Tab-separated table of all heavy atoms in Angstrom:
chain	number	residue	atom	x	y	z
B	50	GLU	N	104.325	17.960	11.918
B	50	GLU	CA	103.558	17.163	10.952
B	50	GLU	C	102.208	16.800	11.579
B	50	GLU	O	102.142	16.531	12.778
B	50	GLU	CB	104.345	15.868	10.659
B	50	GLU	CG	103.599	14.841	9.830
B	50	GLU	CD	104.278	13.454	9.833
B	50	GLU	OE1	104.859	13.067	10.866
B	50	GLU	OE2	104.228	12.786	8.787
B	51	LEU	N	101.151	16.785	10.777
B	51	LEU	CA	99.820	16.376	11.268
B	51	LEU	C	99.568	16.985	12.637
B	51	LEU	O	99.230	16.287	13.610
B	51	LEU	CB	99.708	14.844	11.311
B	51	LEU	CG	99.903	14.120	9.964
B	51	LEU	CD1	99.915	12.598	10.160
B	51	LEU	CD2	98.841	14.497	8.941
B	56	PHE	N	98.528	11.348	16.134
B	56	PHE	CA	99.160	10.704	14.978
B	56	PHE	C	98.323	9.461	14.608
B	56	PHE	O	98.643	8.331	14.962
B	56	PHE	CB	100.618	10.344	15.284
B	56	PHE	CG	101.354	9.858	14.066
B	56	PHE	CD1	101.521	10.676	12.965
B	56	PHE	CD2	101.869	8.568	14.022
B	56	PHE	CE1	102.190	10.223	11.828
B	56	PHE	CE2	102.536	8.111	12.896
B	56	PHE	CZ	102.689	8.937	11.800
B	58	PRO	N	97.749	7.539	12.003
B	58	PRO	CA	98.142	6.319	11.272
B	58	PRO	C	98.507	5.157	12.182
B	58	PRO	O	98.706	4.035	11.707
B	58	PRO	CB	99.349	6.785	10.435
B	58	PRO	CG	99.133	8.253	10.249
B	58	PRO	CD	98.537	8.706	11.557
B	110	ASN	N	99.314	13.780	3.067
B	110	ASN	CA	99.972	14.269	4.282
B	110	ASN	C	100.684	15.555	3.843
B	110	ASN	O	101.699	15.503	3.147
B	110	ASN	CB	100.953	13.199	4.803
B	110	ASN	CG	101.562	13.574	6.141
B	110	ASN	OD1	101.555	14.735	6.534
B	110	ASN	ND2	102.122	12.590	6.826
B	127	LYS	N	103.643	15.107	1.250
B	127	LYS	CA	104.709	14.159	1.624
B	127	LYS	C	104.935	13.085	0.557
B	127	LYS	O	103.981	12.402	0.131
B	127	LYS	CB	104.339	13.515	2.961
B	127	LYS	CG	105.431	12.641	3.578
B	127	LYS	CD	104.984	12.215	4.977
B	127	LYS	CE	105.988	11.362	5.705
B	127	LYS	NZ	105.508	10.986	7.053
B	129	HIS	N	107.917	10.659	0.702
B	129	HIS	CA	108.386	9.392	1.273
B	129	HIS	C	107.428	8.976	2.392
B	129	HIS	O	107.538	9.458	3.524
B	129	HIS	CB	109.809	9.545	1.829
B	129	HIS	CG	110.826	9.928	0.801
B	129	HIS	ND1	111.314	11.218	0.669
B	129	HIS	CD2	111.452	9.193	-0.152
B	129	HIS	CE1	112.208	11.251	-0.320
B	129	HIS	NE2	112.306	10.041	-0.836
B	130	LEU	N	106.487	8.110	2.038
B	130	LEU	CA	105.492	7.643	3.018
B	130	LEU	C	105.979	6.349	3.653
B	130	LEU	O	106.065	5.319	2.977
B	130	LEU	CB	104.147	7.385	2.333
B	130	LEU	CG	103.429	8.601	1.744
B	130	LEU	CD1	102.171	8.144	0.993
B	130	LEU	CD2	103.066	9.617	2.818
B	131	PRO	N	106.297	6.353	4.944
B	131	PRO	CA	106.780	5.120	5.572
B	131	PRO	C	105.614	4.219	5.978
B	131	PRO	O	104.446	4.582	5.852
B	131	PRO	CB	107.522	5.653	6.805
B	131	PRO	CG	106.743	6.866	7.178
B	131	PRO	CD	106.228	7.472	5.885
B	132	GLY	N	105.982	3.063	6.525
B	132	GLY	CA	104.975	2.193	7.112
B	132	GLY	C	104.416	1.186	6.118
B	132	GLY	O	105.105	0.728	5.220
B	133	HIS	N	103.115	0.897	6.228
B	133	HIS	CA	102.493	-0.212	5.508
B	133	HIS	C	101.033	0.128	5.263
B	133	HIS	O	100.508	1.097	5.831
B	133	HIS	CB	102.625	-1.498	6.336
B	133	HIS	CG	102.149	-1.338	7.755
B	133	HIS	ND1	100.926	-1.746	8.183
B	133	HIS	CD2	102.748	-0.742	8.840
B	133	HIS	CE1	100.776	-1.455	9.461
B	133	HIS	NE2	101.864	-0.826	9.879
B	142	PHE	N	101.363	-1.314	17.537
B	142	PHE	CA	100.511	-0.274	16.941
B	142	PHE	C	100.786	-0.296	15.450
B	142	PHE	O	101.720	-0.975	14.987
B	142	PHE	CB	100.786	1.113	17.553
B	142	PHE	CG	102.232	1.532	17.469
B	142	PHE	CD1	102.718	2.215	16.365
B	142	PHE	CD2	103.123	1.225	18.504
B	142	PHE	CE1	104.055	2.583	16.298
B	142	PHE	CE2	104.461	1.583	18.436
B	142	PHE	CZ	104.924	2.259	17.329
B	144	HIS	N	101.407	1.597	11.516
B	144	HIS	CA	101.972	2.814	10.891
B	144	HIS	C	101.419	2.866	9.472
B	144	HIS	O	102.088	2.487	8.505
B	144	HIS	CB	103.505	2.816	10.908
B	144	HIS	CG	104.052	4.184	10.662
B	144	HIS	ND1	104.846	4.868	11.559
B	144	HIS	CD2	103.853	5.040	9.632
B	144	HIS	CE1	105.131	6.067	11.084
B	144	HIS	NE2	104.548	6.179	9.905
B	146	GLU	N	100.603	4.968	7.070
B	146	GLU	CA	100.667	6.094	6.116
B	146	GLU	C	100.433	5.629	4.677
B	146	GLU	O	99.877	6.363	3.875
B	146	GLU	CB	102.008	6.812	6.250
B	146	GLU	CG	102.127	7.543	7.564
B	146	GLU	CD	103.217	8.586	7.554
B	146	GLU	OE1	103.221	9.462	6.692
B	146	GLU	OE2	104.099	8.497	8.438
B	171	ILE	N	108.470	16.626	5.055
B	171	ILE	CA	107.684	16.132	6.182
B	171	ILE	C	108.284	14.831	6.694
B	171	ILE	O	108.428	13.870	5.933
B	171	ILE	CB	106.202	15.897	5.778
B	171	ILE	CG1	105.557	17.192	5.256
B	171	ILE	CG2	105.410	15.339	6.954
B	171	ILE	CD1	104.121	17.032	4.757
B	172	CYS	N	108.631	14.829	7.934
B	172	CYS	CA	109.049	13.674	8.721
B	172	CYS	C	109.981	12.721	7.987
B	172	CYS	O	111.157	12.989	7.862
B	172	CYS	CB	107.833	12.933	9.280
B	172	CYS	SG	108.348	11.806	10.612
B	173	ASN	N	109.490	11.580	7.490
B	173	ASN	CA	110.395	10.562	6.929
B	173	ASN	C	111.229	11.120	5.768
B	173	ASN	O	112.355	10.657	5.540
B	173	ASN	CB	109.589	9.337	6.469
B	173	ASN	CG	110.486	8.162	6.139
B	173	ASN	OD1	110.798	7.915	4.982
B	173	ASN	ND2	110.943	7.443	7.162
B	174	ASP	N	110.720	12.130	5.064
B	174	ASP	CA	111.495	12.782	3.992
B	174	ASP	C	112.852	13.250	4.505
B	174	ASP	O	113.806	13.357	3.730
B	174	ASP	CB	110.768	14.043	3.484
B	174	ASP	CG	109.496	13.775	2.704
B	174	ASP	OD1	109.474	12.853	1.880
B	174	ASP	OD2	108.534	14.555	2.905
B	175	ARG	N	112.922	13.578	5.803
B	175	ARG	CA	114.150	14.172	6.328
B	175	ARG	C	115.309	13.190	6.353
B	175	ARG	O	116.460	13.583	6.536
B	175	ARG	CB	113.936	14.735	7.743
B	175	ARG	CG	113.874	13.700	8.889
B	175	ARG	CD	113.321	14.372	10.105
B	175	ARG	NE	113.320	13.650	11.350
B	175	ARG	CZ	112.520	12.649	11.688
B	175	ARG	NH1	111.662	12.160	10.809
B	175	ARG	NH2	112.566	12.129	12.900
B	176	ARG	N	115.008	11.916	6.197
B	176	ARG	CA	116.063	10.895	6.255
B	176	ARG	C	116.695	10.639	4.886
B	176	ARG	O	117.632	9.846	4.798
B	176	ARG	CB	115.473	9.586	6.796
B	176	ARG	CG	114.821	9.741	8.169
B	176	ARG	CD	114.348	8.407	8.709
B	176	ARG	NE	113.510	8.580	9.884
B	176	ARG	CZ	113.958	8.670	11.139
B	176	ARG	NH1	115.244	8.610	11.366
B	176	ARG	NH2	113.123	8.814	12.147
B	177	TRP	N	116.161	11.259	3.818
B	177	TRP	CA	116.585	10.969	2.452
B	177	TRP	C	117.387	12.144	1.903
B	177	TRP	O	116.852	13.249	1.774
B	177	TRP	CB	115.360	10.705	1.569
B	177	TRP	CG	114.570	9.514	2.037
B	177	TRP	CD1	113.565	9.503	2.969
B	177	TRP	CD2	114.756	8.150	1.649
B	177	TRP	NE1	113.105	8.224	3.161
B	177	TRP	CE2	113.817	7.373	2.361
B	177	TRP	CE3	115.617	7.510	0.744
B	177	TRP	CZ2	113.722	5.983	2.209
B	177	TRP	CZ3	115.505	6.134	0.589
B	177	TRP	CH2	114.577	5.392	1.318
B	195	GLY	N	108.126	19.136	9.861
B	195	GLY	CA	107.542	18.621	11.098
B	195	GLY	C	107.639	17.110	11.097
B	195	GLY	O	107.773	16.493	10.041
B	196	TYR	N	107.556	16.501	12.293
B	196	TYR	CA	107.656	15.045	12.360
B	196	TYR	C	106.888	14.462	13.543
B	196	TYR	O	106.611	15.158	14.526
B	196	TYR	CB	109.121	14.577	12.396
B	196	TYR	CG	109.961	15.058	13.567
B	196	TYR	CD1	110.174	14.248	14.686
B	196	TYR	CD2	110.545	16.313	13.561
B	196	TYR	CE1	110.961	14.661	15.750
B	196	TYR	CE2	111.328	16.743	14.628
B	196	TYR	CZ	111.530	15.918	15.721
B	196	TYR	OH	112.301	16.345	16.770
B	197	ASN	N	106.508	13.181	13.381
B	197	ASN	CA	105.963	12.333	14.453
B	197	ASN	C	106.751	11.041	14.369
B	197	ASN	O	106.524	10.241	13.457
B	197	ASN	CB	104.489	11.975	14.211
B	197	ASN	CG	103.518	13.123	14.393
B	197	ASN	OD1	102.939	13.301	15.455
B	197	ASN	ND2	103.314	13.901	13.338
B	198	THR	N	107.698	10.844	15.261
B	198	THR	CA	108.542	9.646	15.205
B	198	THR	C	108.301	8.781	16.430
B	198	THR	O	108.729	9.132	17.542
B	198	THR	CB	110.031	10.037	15.095
B	198	THR	OG1	110.216	10.764	13.877
B	198	THR	CG2	110.923	8.805	15.087
B	199	PRO	N	107.586	7.649	16.237
B	199	PRO	CA	107.355	6.755	17.383
B	199	PRO	C	108.674	6.292	17.987
B	199	PRO	O	109.644	6.033	17.257
B	199	PRO	CB	106.597	5.576	16.752
B	199	PRO	CG	105.995	6.123	15.493
B	199	PRO	CD	106.960	7.156	14.998
B	201	VAL	N	109.222	3.529	19.377
B	201	VAL	CA	109.402	2.109	19.055
B	201	VAL	C	109.257	1.955	17.551
B	201	VAL	O	108.319	2.483	16.949
B	201	VAL	CB	108.325	1.256	19.775
B	201	VAL	CG1	108.370	-0.193	19.316
B	201	VAL	CG2	108.501	1.359	21.288
B	202	ASN	N	110.212	1.233	16.951
B	202	ASN	CA	110.121	0.933	15.523
B	202	ASN	C	109.448	-0.427	15.391
B	202	ASN	O	109.991	-1.442	15.837
B	202	ASN	CB	111.527	0.903	14.910
B	202	ASN	CG	111.484	0.782	13.400
B	202	ASN	OD1	110.505	0.287	12.840
B	202	ASN	ND2	112.529	1.234	12.741
B	203	ILE	N	108.250	-0.442	14.787
B	203	ILE	CA	107.505	-1.714	14.720
B	203	ILE	C	108.081	-2.656	13.671
B	203	ILE	O	107.694	-3.815	13.599
B	203	ILE	CB	105.998	-1.486	14.428
B	203	ILE	CG1	105.793	-0.797	13.072
B	203	ILE	CG2	105.338	-0.728	15.559
B	203	ILE	CD1	104.329	-0.802	12.622
B	204	HIS	N	109.024	-2.172	12.846
B	204	HIS	CA	109.526	-3.009	11.746
B	204	HIS	C	110.729	-3.848	12.140
B	204	HIS	O	110.976	-4.889	11.545
B	204	HIS	CB	109.885	-2.123	10.540
B	204	HIS	CG	108.700	-1.336	10.055
B	204	HIS	ND1	107.634	-1.933	9.418
B	204	HIS	CD2	108.398	-0.023	10.131
B	204	HIS	CE1	106.733	-1.012	9.119
B	204	HIS	NE2	107.170	0.157	9.546
B	207	GLU	N	114.813	-1.933	16.794
B	207	GLU	CA	115.780	-0.831	16.771
B	207	GLU	C	116.048	-0.347	18.201
B	207	GLU	O	115.103	-0.035	18.932
B	207	GLU	CB	115.228	0.322	15.919
B	207	GLU	CG	116.213	1.461	15.756
B	207	GLU	CD	115.691	2.565	14.835
B	207	GLU	OE1	114.563	2.457	14.312
B	207	GLU	OE2	116.431	3.541	14.641
B	212	ARG	N	116.586	6.003	17.640
B	212	ARG	CA	115.456	6.775	17.094
B	212	ARG	C	115.799	8.266	17.109
B	212	ARG	O	115.453	8.988	16.190
B	212	ARG	CB	114.178	6.527	17.908
B	212	ARG	CG	113.749	5.083	17.964
B	212	ARG	CD	113.452	4.526	16.591
B	212	ARG	NE	112.119	4.858	16.122
B	212	ARG	CZ	111.723	4.766	14.855
B	212	ARG	NH1	112.566	4.395	13.916
B	212	ARG	NH2	110.496	5.060	14.501
B	216	HIS	N	117.655	10.581	13.737
B	216	HIS	CA	116.937	11.836	13.440
B	216	HIS	C	117.929	12.999	13.357
B	216	HIS	O	117.963	13.743	12.366
B	216	HIS	CB	115.890	12.049	14.542
B	216	HIS	CG	115.493	13.450	14.839
B	216	HIS	ND1	114.779	14.224	13.957
B	216	HIS	CD2	115.724	14.238	15.937
B	216	HIS	CE1	114.568	15.416	14.489
B	216	HIS	NE2	115.135	15.462	15.681
B	245	MET	N	106.360	9.191	21.446
B	245	MET	CA	107.120	9.651	20.272
B	245	MET	C	108.271	10.537	20.747
B	245	MET	O	108.162	11.222	21.773
B	245	MET	CB	106.204	10.422	19.319
B	245	MET	CG	105.058	9.567	18.795
B	245	MET	SD	104.098	10.363	17.506
B	245	MET	CE	103.355	11.698	18.407
B	246	ILE	N	109.368	10.506	19.981
B	246	ILE	CA	110.568	11.246	20.391
B	246	ILE	C	110.348	12.752	20.267
B	246	ILE	O	109.548	13.218	19.444
B	246	ILE	CB	111.818	10.842	19.569
B	246	ILE	CG1	111.704	11.283	18.089
B	246	ILE	CG2	112.089	9.347	19.684
B	246	ILE	CD1	113.023	11.226	17.321
J	1	CDT	N1	105.768	10.227	10.459
J	1	CDT	C1	106.844	9.571	9.984
J	1	CDT	O1	107.181	9.665	8.813
J	1	CDT	N2	107.541	8.815	10.883
J	1	CDT	C2	108.641	8.002	10.490
J	1	CDT	C3	108.643	6.748	11.267
J	1	CDT	C4	109.483	5.736	10.621
J	1	CDT	S1	109.440	4.174	11.410
J	1	CDT	C5	108.263	3.354	10.485
J	1	CDT	C6	109.997	8.698	10.654
J	1	CDT	O2	110.826	8.576	9.744
J	1	CDT	O3	110.258	9.306	11.671
Side-chain angles (χ1 to χ4, degrees):
E50 172 193 35
L51 300 174
F56 188 62
N110 186 341
K127 188 173 181 180
H129 299 102
L130 295 175
H133 51 100
F142 55 89
H144 197 119
E146 291 198 55
I171 301 177
C172 196
N173 191 261
D174 290 318
R175 76 194 187 286
R176 303 184 191 273
W177 298 88
Y196 61 98
N197 289 265
T198 298
V201 172
N202 188 336
I203 61 169
H204 301 290
E207 184 176 0
R212 302 299 278 164
H216 153 68
M245 299 188 294
I246 68 166

